[in-house]
Amino acid sequence: MTVSEVTSAPQDTRKPSFWYGLPLGYVSLDLHPPAERLMGIVNQLRGLPDQERDEADRALRLYAGIVSLLNTNRVQECALGVHPDDAGGFTTSVFTVSTMLTAGNSAKLVVAGLAGSAADGRDEGMRPLDLPCGIGFLSEKRSPAPRSSRRPEAGDAAPSHIWQGTVAVAAPSTPELIVLQMVTPNLDSADAYRDILLGIARTLTFANPARAAADNEDKEPEALTGAAAAMRNDFG
């Protein structure tokens, strides 16, 4: 597995940038599609036959609704994953990165408290993490899969449960948590997807890797450290 890209959350005056490695097999959903692209799609839809136009219009409206929902929930990244399984088929997952505000400037205190409750066994579904970027925690659970109220006939083919893994880390000098989440309907592959989630979490950094690489360009090659080492170790 190799790093396919290093992603930065959009910058503004409130929060710092952060970067992480996204492994192969994941395709990012465009959460900020330009108006020109959307208008181009609409114009293409107008030229389709009636049935195809209706189906494409529903898909476009679904995409717009998902993007709106993700943006409302401060999601910075949504990536769809497809990987081969041992049975010769494919297993799917959804990976998201979001930011969550905490009261005051207590993000580190929130993470420390949750990690502490995980460490002493008060919450069996959580465990503390010592990541290169700081202290965090891992939470995982199995939940009933959501059902579509618009297409109840699809319920029989849909999975009954999903596995959900969440890693949270406090952003430096801000009241925000960086939340990495992996969801898959393939419960048998939960261990593999937990490893992928933890691998991504170990590459999370608040220092621009490109700037660090530029600073080291004229130096003699040496052992990788920090985020660069994490990416090499976890993604090859």
Side-chain angles (χ1 to χ4, degrees), residues 7-19:
T7 308
S8 171
Q11 297 188 52
D12 59 30
T13 57
R14 277 191 310 102
K15 58 179 179 284
S17 295
F18 54 91
W19 293 261

Side-chain angles (χ1 to χ4, degrees), residues 32 67 131 146 162:
H32 304 280
V67 167
L131 300 170
I162 58 172

Side-chain angles (χ1 to χ4, degrees), residues 51-133:
Q51 182 177 352
E52 287 83 353
R53 183 171 64 248
D54 290 343
E55 293 176 356
D57 180 68
R58 283 195 293 270
L60 181 60
R61 291 178 183 275
L62 175 62
Y63 170 65
I66 291 174
V67 167
S68 177
L69 180 62
L70 293 175
N71 287 327
T72 299
N73 288 278
R74 302 169 62 87
V75 174
Q76 312 292 339
E77 166 88 78
C78 179
L80 309 180
V82 179
H83 297 93
D85 61 19
D86 295 335
F90 292 91
T91 181
T92 60
S93 63
V94 178
F95 171 71
T96 60
V97 180
S98 58
T99 56
M100 181 182 299
L101 284 173
T102 60
N105 293 303
S106 60
K108 290 186 177 180
L109 294 178
V110 170
V111 170
L114 291 172
S117 67
D120 62 18
R122 282 178 286 167
D123 192 329
E124 296 181 357
M126 296 173 54
R127 63 184 172 97
L129 296 175
D130 186 8
L131 300 170
C133 65

